[in-house]
Amino acid sequence: KTRGRSSGFRKPPQAGLHFCGTIVYYRKRKHDGRMTVLQRTFLKDLAEAAGVSVSQASRALNGKAEVALEVRQRIHELARKMNYRNLSRQHTVTLAVLISWMDHFTASLFNALSREAERNGIRLAVISPQHLSMLDEWLFDGVILISGRILIPDWHERCRLPLVAVNSRGNLLDRIPGVFSDGGFSQAMEYLISRGHRRIAVVNPGADIPTRDGKRGEKAFRSVAGKWRLEGEARYLFYRDWADLEARLCRLLDEHYTAFLDVSCDNGPRLLDFLRDRGKQVPADVSLITYDNREVSAYLEPPLTTLAYDFPEMARSAIELMRRRLKDGSGLNSVRLLTKLTVRGSTGPAPSR
């Protein structure tokens, strides 16, 4: 094993970086005295630089006998200079996973990603957005962004690593392919309206943030509200934190709202306690829908009606998008998945006035 600065190898720092699996060492390159990103090199780039066909370059890298020794040596040398990572068939694809915070959604999705990556022989490394400079220093094959707000409009110019977003909230990443849920707003709205509710409020964490998810969810909400002529009654609100959410819910209850959809996996127990403290019975006075937290949603009193993400399918789609991007640069179209509405005891007919 080669170690130390003189060899061009260094162990990745532990702060903000965790590898799922074996710690690995990465080749780095200096330019004008500074560390720069190692640009992703495709097989077609290597073949063009060597002046041979893609098939001949592939045969040379895989040690096929029909390739002349001189050509094979030239291609291997170019592969090292151009940082072509598939020089060895033993290469393990390594993806950086950017995570801004850890909650039920993020943990569930990352667990699903870990299982899918293991099935595909892929190594994952977790990095926080505060340590994006690591992507400039260490060579990864690609990056998966989980539900973050990393506002980098010139991502490709700065990093040059393939990026796949999963439920990203960064509106400046609209050009980035990814995997997104439909939010389930239409399902929840239609169900509540079918139970006689008209004064319905959706509360979304992230006050006044013009996110892609938020805008798409609000569009679906407005569409259903317009269909049923509820524009003056249905409300779509953002909140900053729990205190802000409490204040908004108090005002909505004073205005006789009878149904709430909270776009969160973690607030269910606190919302039930809050409504009880306000003298409201669920679902007799107020109906409540949240996003599913499988550890608690079905076991509360009353059990929560929820919208559930398909985490295994989200993970499979994200890994497949990345595999296609790494293979030939395709995989630029985003994947949209449906959420599932599970009706339990926290929703009922609208109360009669």
Side-chain angles (χ1 to χ4, degrees):
K1 293 183 180 180
T2 309
R3 302 186 182 186
R5 288 182 179 272
S6 61
S7 66
F9 289 80
R10 187 176 66 180
K11 187 175 180 179
Q14 295 302 299
L17 175 61
H18 174 68
F19 280 88
C20 299
T22 306
I23 295 284
V24 295
Y25 294 83
Y26 293 100
R27 189 68 178 266
K28 61 183 183 178
R29 180 179 67 189
K30 289 188 176 181
H31 176 67
D32 294 334
R34 297 183 303 167
M35 201 65 60
T36 62
V37 64
L38 296 179
Q39 182 177 353
R40 174 75 182 173
T41 300
F42 292 102
L43 182 59
K44 61 182 180 181
D45 302 321
L46 183 61
E48 183 178 351
V52 300
S53 67
V54 172
S55 59
Q56 189 173 16
S58 177
R59 289 194 295 270
L61 292 173
N62 287 289
K64 300 296 183 181
E66 58 265 30
V67 181
L69 177 61
E70 179 185 352
V71 174
R72 184 183 300 114
Q73 291 175 341
R74 183 169 80 251
I75 291 175
H76 275 252
E77 180 62 26
L78 280 170
R80 281 187 286 271
K81 290 181 178 179
M82 297 174 66
N83 305 297
Y84 181 70
R85 296 199 70 197
N86 292 316
L87 177 62
S88 167
R89 284 175 290 179
Q90 300 301 314
H91 166 65
T92 299
V93 172
T94 302
L95 304 179
V97 182
L98 297 183
I99 297 179
S100 301
W101 60 84
M102 188 64 71
D103 56 13
H104 175 80
F105 171 86
T106 306
S108 298
L109 179 54
F110 180 74
N111 287 337
L113 276 172
S114 298
R115 290 189 290 269
E116 188 65 25
E118 184 177 2
R119 279 194 290 269
N120 286 272
I122 294 173
R123 179 184 288 113
L124 300 182
V126 179
I127 297 180
S128 72
Q130 290 75 27
H131 297 89
L132 286 179
S133 60
M134 292 182 181
L135 298 180
D136 295 326
E137 297 181 18
W138 308 110
L139 181 59
F140 295 94
D141 292 276
V143 181
I144 294 178
L145 167 64
I146 295 182
S147 194
R149 291 192 284 268
I150 302 175
L151 306 179
I152 306 178
D154 58 343
W155 169 273
H156 292 301
E157 289 76 9
R158 288 183 54 182
C159 193
R160 299 187 181 183
L161 286 172
L163 174 66
V164 170
V166 184
N167 267 32
S168 168
R169 298 188 178 190
N171 64 310
L172 295 182
L173 295 179
D174 283 347
R175 297 175 297 156
I176 304 299
V179 181
F180 306 98
S181 69
D182 71 344
F185 297 97
S186 298
Q187 295 180 69
M189 285 285 290
E190 293 282 1
Y191 172 72
L192 291 170
I193 292 170
S194 73
R195 301 308 307 271
H197 294 275
R198 295 186 63 85
R199 301 183 75 79
I200 303 167
V202 174
V203 288
N204 198 336
D208 303 320
I209 296 175
T211 69
R212 174 163 52 182
D213 282 351
K215 289 187 291 186
R216 185 170 57 244
E218 186 172 4
K219 183 178 180 180
F221 173 84
R222 301 293 181 197
S223 176
V224 177
K227 171 184 173 182
W228 294 97
R229 298 183 179 181
L230 301 180
E231 295 92 337
E233 298 175 279
R235 302 276 295 278
Y236 190 99
L237 305 171
F238 291 96
Y239 62 90
R240 291 184 297 273
D241 50 31
W242 177 255
D244 186 36
L245 175 58
E246 280 189 323
R248 292 176 182 272
L249 290 178
C250 285
R251 290 194 291 271
L252 292 169
L253 289 172
D254 290 340
E255 297 172 17
H256 307 292
Y257 276 74
T258 63
F260 299 107
L261 166 60
D262 179 45
V263 188
S264 167
C265 298
D266 302 304
N267 284 339
R270 297 181 74 182
L271 285 169
L272 289 174
D273 288 341
F274 166 79
L275 292 170
R276 291 191 191 101
D277 291 343
R278 293 283 297 179
K280 301 296 182 180
Q281 296 183 12
V282 179
D285 301 317
V286 176
S287 287
L288 176 64
I289 299 177
T290 70
Y291 275 75
D292 193 29
N293 184 326
R294 296 182 182 179
E295 283 72 29
V296 299
S297 296
Y299 305 102
L300 296 172
E301 182 56 42
L304 287 174
T305 295
T306 58
L307 290 164
Y309 295 105
D310 187 343
F311 291 112
E313 184 59 23
M314 293 175 77
R316 190 202 66 78
S317 298
I319 294 295
E320 179 59 26
L321 275 179
M322 183 59 73
R323 285 168 59 91
R324 288 163 55 194
R325 297 209 66 194
L326 294 175
K327 180 180 179 181
D328 54 18
S330 64
L332 296 177
N333 295 323
S334 294
V335 177
R336 186 171 298 177
L337 302 174
L338 296 177
T339 53
K340 179 183 178 181
L341 177 67
T342 300
V343 177
R344 300 190 183 100
S346 67
T347 49
S352 57
R353 293 189 180 180

